[in-house]
């Protein structure tokens, strides 16, 4: 229970504001247990119903979570204030951030000319050359490209789609382990997360079926380069998932193909193929931050016509459009032959580095996963012990807790900047750390 921060307030709104201030300024850090309803009610001189209403509102907004007998606690990533990644200790190799190798990011090509200032961008939010490039980009992988639009990144797109399609309390089927920012986003929108187990081929059909039976109204998945597990849909897995989704035609399916051009695996999309096979409501979002530039906050979205209308309707009421200066920059990069060659080389090198680490780990009989993308997931017994042990040996990896809902523990290792020879050293160090951990905790 919180002892350093004094919660105040005489009504539900005031109590909620007090707790939110505590979260924002660090007085109530993630994991802090809040007082039981009746105890806090007695302390503040209010009714238990008032405190219960407060906790319910904070749950809806993603600031607290309920953990059965453990009571109500501050969420791991509360939807308030600004939570930055942990600072990488000095003198260690950063393999935790999920970042690409800067050597394979092209030099930004600025617009040839700036967009005229006094004109209606809302009337023509998408620049025609980039829209044509986006259609070709999707069509090359068999994704229907009749309806295409833009957003400010995958998270921006997902947030907009979920907010117009779902209502607070609705459930979303999410990969477990999955992308931590999406896992943070869903509860911040007041939605419930339903975990779906994954393997080297992505979402497991039986787990997805269970999530749909639990009432999920939307599904978010990665067809390849799944983060952090690295899974990618095979043709058979794609077919099995489509069969499961066919029984729930009202469910919105969002595919996050965030690393399309460097995933190192072919696309077997849930939305490719004929109309009878793909979901009735669907969207596939692609971004360029992993291979054109981490500051290029642009995404392309292919979707069904209803989803397009709802997405663009909400976009029109908020930011209105994606910057034409940004669009022109992306257009020049996507049209540049030298950039295309660099992206192709990045795809080859990332695959080489990922598979080299997997091979080195296998040599030490360490099971790991990384069928595509830039990350490798290593199941471990004690995440903290492994992270700490590797830190003492000069490596900084990501503890798996922020990627997990109900999945077993593990660590994520980003391999984008890990040369094969360094992967051999890392594997040996990890084997030593795991041996120490086993000696500590027993077989």
């Amino acid at each position: 229970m919180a002892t350093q921060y004094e919660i105040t307030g005489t009504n539900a709104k005031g109590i909620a504001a007090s707790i939110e201030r505590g979260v924002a300024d660090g007085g109530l850090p993630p994991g802090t247990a809040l007082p039981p309803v009746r105890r806090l009610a007695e302390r503040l001189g209010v009714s238990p119903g008032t405190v219960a209403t407060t906790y319910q509102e904070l749950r809806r907004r993603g600031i607290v979570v309920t953990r059965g007998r453990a009571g109500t606690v501050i969420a791991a990533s509360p939807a308030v204030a600004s939570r930055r990644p942990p600072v990488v200790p000095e003198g260690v190799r950063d393999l935790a951030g999920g970042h690409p190798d800067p050597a394979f990011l092209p030099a930004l090509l600025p617009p040839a000319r700036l967009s005229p200032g006094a004109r209606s961008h809302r009337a023509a939010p998408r620049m025609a050359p980039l829209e044509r490039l986006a259609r070709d980009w999707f069509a090359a992988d068999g994704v229907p490209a009749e309806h295409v639009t833009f957003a400010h990144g995958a998270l921006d797109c997902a947030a907009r789609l979920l907010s117009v399609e779902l209502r607070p309390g609705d459930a979303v089927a999410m990969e477990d382990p999955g992308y931590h920012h999406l896992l943070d986003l869903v509860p911040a929108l007041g939605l419930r997360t339903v975990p779906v187990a994954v393997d080297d081929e992505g979402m497991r059909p039986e787990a997805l079926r269970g999530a749909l039976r639990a009432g999920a109204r939307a599904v978010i998945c990665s067809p390849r380069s799944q983060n952090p597990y690295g899974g990618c849909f095979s043709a058979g897995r794609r077919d099995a998932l489509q069969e499961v989704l066919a029984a729930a035609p009202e469910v919105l399916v969002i595919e996050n193909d965030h690393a399309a051009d460097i995933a190192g695996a072919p696309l077997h999309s849930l939305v490719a193929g004929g109309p009878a096979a793909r979901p009735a409501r669907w969207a596939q979002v692609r971004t360029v931050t992993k291979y054109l530039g981490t500051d290029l906050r642009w995404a392309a979205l292919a979707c069904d016509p209803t989803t397009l209308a709802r997405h663009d309707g909400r976009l029109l009421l908020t930011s209105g459009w994606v910057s034409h200066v940004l669009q022109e920059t992306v257009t020049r990069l996507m049209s540049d032959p030298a950039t295309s060659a660099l992206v192709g080389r990045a795809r080859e090198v990332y695959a080489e580095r990922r598979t080299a680490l997997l091979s080195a780990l296998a040599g030490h009989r360490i099971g790991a996963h990384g069928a595509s993308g830039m990350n490798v997931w290593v199941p471990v017994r004690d995440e903290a012990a492994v992270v700490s042990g590797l830190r003492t040996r000069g490596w900084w990896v990501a503890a798996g807790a922020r990627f997990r809902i109900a999945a077993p523990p593990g660590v994520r290792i980003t391999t984008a900047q890990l040369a094969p020879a360094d992967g051999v050293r890392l594997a040996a160090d990890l084997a030593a750390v795991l041996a120490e951990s086993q000696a500590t905790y027993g077989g």
Side-chain angles (χ1 to χ4, degrees):
M1 183 174 68
T3 57
Q4 300 300 316
Y5 182 84
E6 187 67 25
I7 299 172
T8 62
T10 58
N11 54 39
K13 183 177 180 180
I15 300 168
S18 174
I19 293 173
E20 186 170 340
R21 283 194 300 272
V23 174
D25 65 21
L28 294 173
T32 300
L34 296 179
V37 168
R38 291 190 177 277
R39 186 178 304 171
L40 183 58
E42 291 175 1
R43 183 190 306 169
L44 298 178
V46 300
S47 71
T50 296
V51 176
T53 299
T54 299
Y55 286 2
Q56 182 179 15
E57 171 64 15
L58 293 173
R59 279 195 299 272
R60 186 187 68 78
R61 293 171 48 210
I63 297 175
V64 305
V65 295
T66 299
R67 293 181 175 170
R69 294 184 178 180
T72 299
V73 303
I74 304 301
S77 301
V80 61
S82 178
R83 198 171 73 107
R84 302 300 180 185
V87 176
V88 179
E90 187 175 349
V92 300
R93 286 280 302 276
D94 181 11
L95 304 179
H99 304 305
D101 188 337
F104 295 105
L105 295 178
L108 293 184
L109 301 175
R113 55 182 175 79
L114 296 179
S115 302
R119 65 189 180 91
S120 175
H121 291 78
R122 291 179 187 270
R126 296 184 296 277
M127 296 181 68
L130 186 55
E131 186 170 351
R132 287 194 293 271
L133 286 169
R135 292 183 189 279
D136 292 343
W137 193 22
F138 286 114
D141 284 317
V143 176
E146 293 87 352
H147 307 285
V148 171
T149 190
F150 302 157
H152 300 94
L155 290 169
D156 171 68
C157 181
R160 191 171 296 112
L161 291 175
L162 293 175
S163 65
V164 298
E165 294 287 343
L166 278 61
R167 296 294 177 265
D170 285 345
V172 182
M174 306 283 291
E175 296 165 329
D176 184 24
Y179 183 40
H180 60 292
H181 288 309
L182 276 172
L183 295 179
D184 293 346
L185 174 65
V186 169
L189 294 173
L191 305 172
R192 293 186 295 111
T193 298
V194 181
V196 179
V198 301
D199 58 23
D200 291 330
E201 295 183 70
M203 276 188 166
R204 297 180 181 178
E206 68 278 7
L208 177 59
R209 183 177 289 109
L212 296 177
R213 287 173 177 168
R217 293 194 56 208
V219 177
I220 303 179
C221 61
S222 299
R224 53 185 170 179
S225 193
Q226 195 272 346
N227 187 359
Y229 207 87
C232 55
F233 291 167
S234 65
R237 176 60 57 84
R238 183 266 322 276
D239 293 346
L241 292 172
Q242 285 181 328
E243 183 178 350
V244 172
L245 291 167
E250 73 287 353
V251 169
L252 172 66
V253 177
I254 303 174
E255 278 193 342
N256 180 17
D257 194 19
H258 65 97
D261 287 13
I262 56 167
L267 177 67
H268 296 289
S269 172
L270 296 173
V271 306
R278 63 176 173 264
R281 298 295 314 285
W282 63 274
Q284 187 185 103
V285 59
R286 293 185 175 188
T287 56
V288 297
T289 55
K290 295 298 185 184
Y291 43 95
L292 293 186
T294 54
D295 197 38
L296 293 179
R297 311 308 296 175
W298 174 84
L301 173 69
C303 54
D304 66 86
T306 299
T307 300
L308 176 76
R310 293 179 179 178
H311 175 278
D312 282 7
R314 180 61 61 88
L315 179 67
L316 183 66
L317 295 172
T318 52
S319 59
W321 69 91
V322 175
S323 164
H324 281 205
V325 175
L326 173 59
Q327 289 189 45
E328 190 171 345
T329 301
V330 174
T331 299
R332 296 193 71 192
L333 287 171
M334 292 184 73
S335 305
D336 178 49
T339 297
S340 297
L342 184 63
V343 172
R345 178 58 181 155
R347 180 171 56 248
E348 296 172 357
V349 172
Y350 290 157
E352 175 186 336
R353 292 173 178 176
R354 185 186 70 251
T355 55
L357 177 60
L358 291 170
S359 177
L361 291 171
H364 291 277
R365 297 184 179 180
I366 300 173
H369 306 276
S372 60
M374 302 191 303
N375 299 297
V376 166
W377 178 261
V378 184
V380 299
R381 176 183 299 180
D382 187 329
E383 294 176 359
V386 170
V387 171
S388 177
L390 286 177
R391 175 182 175 178
T392 64
R393 289 167 170 79
W395 310 101
W396 185 246
V397 302
R402 59 180 172 159
F403 303 96
R404 299 187 288 110
I405 306 172
V411 295
R412 190 192 73 170
I413 303 172
T414 300
T415 58
Q417 300 182 54
L418 188 69
D422 292 334
V424 171
R425 289 196 301 108
L426 173 60
D429 286 342
L430 179 55
V433 169
L434 293 176
E436 292 174 359
S437 176
Q438 182 172 348
T440 301
Y441 295 102

